[in-house]
Amino acid sequence: MLEKSFEPAAIEQRWYQRWESAGHFVHAADKTPAYCVQLPPPNVTGTLHMGHAFQQTLMDALIRYHRMRGFNTNWVVGTDHAGIATQIVVERQLEEQGNSRHDLGREKFVERVWQWKQQSGSTITRQMRRLGASANWSYADTEGQKAGYFTMDEKMSRAVVEVFVRLHEEGLIYRGKRLVNWDPVLGTAVSDLEVDSEEEDGRIWELRYPGKGFSLTVATTRPETMLGDVAVAVHPDDARYKAFVGQRVELPLAGRTIPVIADEYVDPQFGTGCVKITPAHDFNDYQVGKRHGLDPINILRLDAHLNDNAPEKYRGLERFQARKQVLADLSAQGFLAGEKPYKLRVPRSGRTGVIVEPMLTDQWFVRMEGLARPALDAAAKGELKFFPEHWTSTYRQWLENIQDWCISRQLWWGHQIPAWYDDEGKVYVARNEAAAQALAPGKALRRDADVLDTWFSSALVPFSSLGWPDRTKDQDLFLPSSVLVTGFDIIFFWVARMVMMSLHFTGKLPFRDVYINAIVRDAEGEKMSKSKGNTLDPLDLIDGISFEELVKKSTVGLLKAEHKQKVQGYIKAHFPQGIPPFGTDALRFTFASLASFSRTLNFDLSRCEGYRNFCNKLWNATRFVLMNTEGKDCGTDESLPVRLSFVDRWIISQLQRVEAEVAQGFTDYRFDNLAGAIYRFVWDEYCDWYVELAKLQLQDSDEAVQRGTRRTLVRVLETSLRLAHPVIPFITEELWQKVAPLAGKRGDTIMLQPYPKSQPEKIDEAAERDMAVLKEWTVATRNLRAEAKLPPGERLPLYATALPPVSDVSLSTAALKLLARLDEVRNVSALPDSPSPVAVVGEARLMLYKEVDPAAERDRLQKERARLAGEIDKARKQLGNASFVERAPAKVVEQMRERVAGFEATLAKVSAQLEKLTPTR
RNA sequence: GGGUGCUUAGCUCAGCGGUAGAGCGCUGCCCUUACAAGGCAGAUGUCGUAGGUUCGACCCCUACAGCACCCACCA
């Protein structure tokens, strides 16, 4: 016997372990068709957040759905070494101990990071298991930790080196001194994508550069860079300055003169029309300098302090101190012409938030243009499809304007670049040191100290995880994978790069479909952020958490007291009771239900609660079925007679429809639709109608009717469980184990049972029509009850001028008696002469015989008459419109006519009743 | 500057060229032998604004407004 209500905690733990240890998540060596999903590898030291939980729910639903449909499923998972992020974490730890990575040295430091990875690396994969993720943990599991691949493990690293060397051989990787985005705190280059520019309040200053007999005023937001100026540029057609082009002006403080040059880049309308040119510290100026053959003067050290190219006074000053000093000196010497507040876009490092400095350094780049073209073609030809489709344009736009990718990072944690230098600085790129040495016999080689951008290895995952560069059968089976589920924020970072790399190295797409999931926000649509306190931990939703605990964990690590206050306030307002335990299934069902094609998903706790209630409903429906079928004849013996009523045939028919809807939902990646379809079928049809009517049929004297009812109860439920399993795996497994035997089925697990398939031949329109009538009569009669405000115990006869027009009248009237709590149904030629409320259903008029207040009833009828008159009027107008009748499809016109006729018939009956109530004058 | 998305019930969102929907919330009645995490019944919308196309527009087109996001080098 089942517990009285659904208690998720116990069943979840048990079933996940059994599934995993039984090897149900493992792919088959050689079986088609294959279905493969690549998990966006989470940061190895990270923890699961709502975005992960959402994504993984969808992936797992897809995987489970296809597994049940007999696909050879392989959910390839792994974790990412997340170069910068992980290095920062460990550096912070060292900092707390008063150490820096430089104190340890590279080797010791990297060792330390590995330790940290081993220690915290399993957190996120453990959490994924709590979500029920049926991931292929043992696949590509080089490190034997049942966590899939690790982007820095031996096998994955081999692919990285191979790709690097090959791209280099093909001339697609090059090294050069370029201006790159530099994070002066981390001391590394970062790619364009890792820089976020936000508009901030700043100032703009005007500086006067004197020439012979004239002076030019330039505007700048970064006055300290003037020490590295090499020219002042004006627009070639600018009449104001034409005369000065070619002359020189004095560069204040620096004791140099610089030329006045003409360049189209200058917008004469903007500012003074004069631009200072600082090639070493500005991307535009760099181009201008190049065009005019001006050598950049770099005035900054890598830590953003001024270097020896600056006048002595400023050397060693930090960049913002230098700014102050330069401004003070310019002002004192009369060269500062103006200063105003100004809104500017400040480029900040995505990791440290520090202002990024354009810095002239030696870096490695990937030439992107040629790689991008095939990636664009694939999307244009529809071989690569985005869901929702509009993301294609985001993808396309970026690829069409792609810049070379700076892949070197001046970090210690990551794939060290496979390049060696001899004493003359000549570079040898090779698969390993010995191979490099072979290229440079007798020379002393030194390995490039840099590591690769984390996204470099991520870009290879779709094929490196399948064993590339070896030729493996898995690449035939699982490449391209079926669908990638990921967030829009990494379309550039990851999606596009995977497509390019995969096409280039394997000739195949990494995946056919890309589902871009919504961003999870809080219930009000606010971004979730630690400082607001509106983040939710998926595990807290599953297990529940007390108010005190929640406050404690949300404020830990917050330094500012005001933040703590704010967070506490938010939690008090939104989770005064903490969070109750909803269980994994409820959380998953919520995610699925909210997964429409909208761009954001506002996670609402009350929705989660609603879907927990749904789980409870399913649980109790099963309880009912078990109570009424266990140990009884459920019709598994096909030789015994079975009679199915229109009610049985109706629910079976509906089942076919919901199965088709769910299948469509999966095809379209409309998880909201499929979840909604399941919800409505289970709750609104099976529980609200079928189970209630089954109660009646189970009392039928005919053994064949009882048998048919039990069989239908059990079979439809058993099928529903399979239908819902991809979304709510735990509860369906638990219940299926109990229900399946009654339906003559057996199995270790529901997850390997065949997925329900809609059988159109079982759609029974006659039964559906009968049921529609029964529902209509029931609702109308219940309405009469509600109007009459009958106490629950009071049962009255229903007077009806006709019997329900269905194939089985006695069943229908019996059903009516049960569902609308009637004493009996009396078929009469005329309703009793009474002011009691009358309902009109089709041809019939229904009345519960009961004394009522005639005035109230008159009121009600008048309202109803007005409504009907309004509808008739509206429809009549349409029909009166000649061009509607002529041009609209005949079917639509006919429908409209029927509509009017129906309304009019009802109106007549309502009017007649009203007549009766109207006091005779 | 370029691009994308959104605007429908109190809230969060579906929706479709032909009778405006769901969940939650709300109101009333009910602890009816699966379920009060429940049952039954009910109320609620000039579908952002203005034009256009159409027999017919919430839906298609145009413009506008507001909100959100992405990309881009304006000193």
Side-chain angles (χ1 to χ4, degrees), chain A residues 290-339:
Chain A
K290 234 167 133 182
R291 280 199 287 277
H292 294 268
L294 299 163
D295 287 332
I297 298 174
N298 179 12
I299 58 158
L300 287 175
R301 303 195 316 229
L302 293 179
D303 60 358
H305 290 240
L306 297 207
N307 66 14
D308 292 354
N309 289 332
E312 201 168 342
K313 179 172 183 189
Y314 307 101
R315 287 178 198 164
L317 286 181
E318 190 274 335
R319 52 184 165 164
F320 297 111
Q321 306 233 290
R323 176 175 300 178
K324 267 191 201 151
Q325 191 60 55
V326 164
L327 284 170
D329 293 348
L330 284 170
S331 175
Q333 296 176 29
F335 296 116
L336 187 61
E339 171 181 353

Side-chain angles (χ1 to χ4, degrees), chain A residues 453-556:
Chain A
D453 181 1
T454 301
W455 295 103
F456 191 87
S457 56
S458 316
L460 318 180
V461 152
F463 50 101
S464 59
S465 64
L466 303 181
W468 190 93
D470 294 336
R471 261 210 61 85
T472 60
K473 196 195 289 170
D474 285 2
Q475 285 167 67
D476 298 332
L477 276 175
F478 302 120
L479 189 71
S481 60
S482 311
V483 58
L484 180 78
V485 178
T486 194
F488 78 87
D489 49 331
I490 54 177
I491 290 179
F492 309 144
F493 273 112
W494 195 45
V495 179
R497 287 168 178 169
M498 281 192 284
V499 175
M500 290 188 277
M501 288 298 189
S502 197
L503 283 174
H504 187 73
F505 284 99
T506 70
K508 289 188 187 184
L509 282 167
F511 28 73
R512 292 180 218 282
D513 292 351
V514 182
Y515 175 88
I516 300 294
N517 62 260
I519 297 300
V520 181
R521 304 282 190 89
D522 75 5
E524 281 91 34
E526 292 285 321
K527 229 178 232 175
M528 288 196 179
S529 92
K530 188 110 213 255
S531 61
K532 276 189 222 149
N534 63 349
T535 53
L536 283 169
D537 183 336
L539 294 185
D540 292 342
L541 293 165
I542 294 172
D543 297 329
I545 185 167
S546 70
F547 172 77
E548 290 75 20
E549 276 297 313
L550 188 58
V551 169
K552 207 166 120 198
K553 93 183 247 192
S554 303
T555 50
V556 77

Side-chain angles (χ1 to χ4, degrees), chain A residues 44 175 183 257 519 554 652 737 878 902:
Chain A
V44 66
R175 185 178 137 92
D183 182 325
T257 64
I519 297 300
S554 303
I652 292 166
Q737 292 297 332
Q878 275 239 42

Side-chain angles (χ1 to χ4, degrees), chain A residues 840 861-875 899-900 902-911:
Chain A
V840 179
L861 285 171
Q862 266 161 0
K863 254 194 208 157
E864 176 67 0
R865 189 170 63 174
R867 186 188 70 87
L868 287 166
E871 295 285 3
I872 290 170
D873 195 48
K874 228 164 81 182
R899 200 169 134 70
V900 173
F903 282 141
E904 281 175 340
T906 309
L907 182 64
K909 287 166 190 150
V910 168
S911 300

Side-chain angles (χ1 to χ4, degrees), chain A residues 801-836:
Chain A
T801 58
L803 285 170
V806 294
S807 58
D808 187 338
V809 176
S810 77
L811 172 61
S812 297
T813 49
L816 212 51
K817 273 169 67 178
L818 175 75
L819 297 176
R821 305 168 149 260
L822 297 171
D823 183 29
E824 61 175 320
V825 178
R826 282 189 206 158
N827 185 13
V828 291
S829 55
L831 292 181
D833 188 16
S834 151
S836 298

Side-chain angles (χ1 to χ4, degrees), chain A residues 231 241 304:
Chain A
Y241 304 117

Side-chain angles (χ1 to χ4, degrees), chain A residues 868-881 884-885 893 895-901 903:
Chain A
L868 287 166
E871 295 285 3
I872 290 170
D873 195 48
K874 228 164 81 182
R876 273 263 178 77
K877 250 185 210 149
Q878 275 239 42
L879 284 169
N881 183 340
F884 167 72
V885 178
V893 177
Q895 247 172 32
M896 195 62 75
R897 290 218 168 94
E898 278 167 19
R899 200 169 134 70
V900 173
F903 282 141

